[in-house]
Amino acid sequence: EVKLVESGGGLVQPGGSLRLSCAASGFTFSTYWMSWVRHAPGEGPEWVANIMLGGSEKSYVDSVKGRFTISRDNAKNSLYLEMNSLRAEDTAIYYCVRVGSGRTFEYWGQGTLVTVSS
Amino acid sequence: DIVMTQTPLSSPVTLGQPASISCRSSQSLVHSDGNTYLSWFQQRPGQPPRLLISKISNRFSGVPDRFSGSGAGTDFTLEISRVEAEDVGVYYCMQATQLPPLFGQGTKLEIK
């Protein structure tokens, strides 16, 4: 069974930092692209970042470029999102997602809530 | 960026009756590799989104066959042949033909 478990969310002040983690199990982690997708209340989900198999190729939505960094540790079956210079508009549930062969988001974790507020 | 527009935004349906959700993209979603990367997701209350359909019409593992997808180019449809109580939630289309992957604004399916 594919399982994705996020951690690291919480309340942070504007300008602060957080590091999200995702523990993956039930599949060969190193053979899948992975993504972070966030979902703010009242809006549609928003893709945040992708990372390819070895971790060298990454892409980001424009609104987080230069502030967020996606990374992975295939030996630990783990995905990470380092978030700096956080803004109120980054407030959302952040999901760890496995990317499938149809360029789609096949499996989602339960999410971790990030709240940016003073 | 491509813009994804879903209609209706809300769809009250009777149990056992069909339901249909439309998704329109501002540009063709046909990729240079010949595939069309249009997916549909269901989000039940309090749950993460769940993949229903990828590449217009391919049902994901475990998805009931009452869900079907169709369309081409810029116009796509998700159909539920007979709505069940467990189908209540918000449905999203998503394109991944171009970066960034983009979701529609969602259609709320509720029971009359």
Side-chain angles (χ1 to χ4, degrees):
Chain A
E1 179 198 3
V2 173
K3 202 168 180 185
L4 300 165
V5 180
E6 303 92 340
S7 60
L11 174 64
V12 61
Q13 291 189 338
S17 300
L18 276 178
R19 188 190 196 216
L20 305 184
S21 299
C22 170
S25 60
F27 65 101
T28 306
F29 181 73
S30 61
T31 64
Y32 286 88
W33 294 17
M34 296 295 295
S35 287
W36 288 97
V37 176
R38 65 186 179 185
H39 197 178
E43 299 182 15
E46 180 184 40
W47 167 78
V48 173
N50 270 351
I51 186 166
M52 297 184 194
L53 305 182
S56 58
E57 290 189 59
K58 308 170 187 182
S59 51
Y60 300 90
V61 68
D62 283 350
S63 60
V64 309
K65 280 180 184 174
R67 300 188 299 123
F68 289 13
T69 302
I70 188 172
S71 62
R72 65 191 297 164
D73 185 335
N74 288 339
K76 294 183 178 179
N77 292 336
S78 292
L79 178 72
Y80 306 99
L81 186 68
E82 188 78 37
M83 303 187 296
N84 298 313
S85 304
L86 282 160
R87 305 167 181 166
E89 54 265 35
D90 296 318
T91 294
I93 297 174
Y94 283 72
Y95 295 101
C96 169
V97 181
R98 190 181 94 172
V99 182
S101 59
R103 286 196 178 192
T104 191
F105 301 134
E106 289 185 325
Y107 292 97
W108 300 60
Q110 288 298 310
T112 187
L113 177 62
V114 172
T115 304
V116 184
S117 175
S118 53
Chain B
D1 287 357
I2 293 174
V3 176
M4 305 296 290
T5 303
Q6 289 181 230
T7 54
L9 296 183
S10 179
S11 179
V13 295
T14 302
L15 287 174
Q17 294 300 301
S20 179
I21 299 170
S22 173
C23 176
R24 178 167 289 179
S25 60
S26 59
Q27 302 174 31
S28 173
L29 297 185
V30 180
H31 192 273
S32 57
D33 66 8
N35 290 304
T36 300
Y37 295 106
L38 186 283
S39 300
W40 289 96
F41 297 85
Q42 173 197 62
Q43 188 170 29
R44 293 171 173 151
Q47 294 293 314
R50 167 200 179 198
L51 176 64
L52 296 176
I53 286 170
S54 65
K55 290 198 284 186
I56 302 177
S57 58
N58 296 293
R59 256 191 317 274
F60 191 54
S61 172
V63 175
D65 61 8
R66 66 178 181 275
F67 290 93
S68 63
S70 62
T74 61
D75 288 283
F76 306 93
T77 302
L78 175 71
E79 292 181 324
I80 309 173
S81 58
R82 296 172 307 279
V83 171
E84 299 187 5
E86 66 179 18
D87 300 335
V88 164
V90 182
Y91 291 78
Y92 299 97
C93 61
M94 185 200 80
Q95 74 82 23
T97 294
Q98 289 185 23
L99 273 180
L102 280 171
F103 291 83
Q105 70 272 55
T107 295
K108 188 173 185 179
L109 186 77
E110 46 200 4
I111 306 301
K112 277 184 189 172

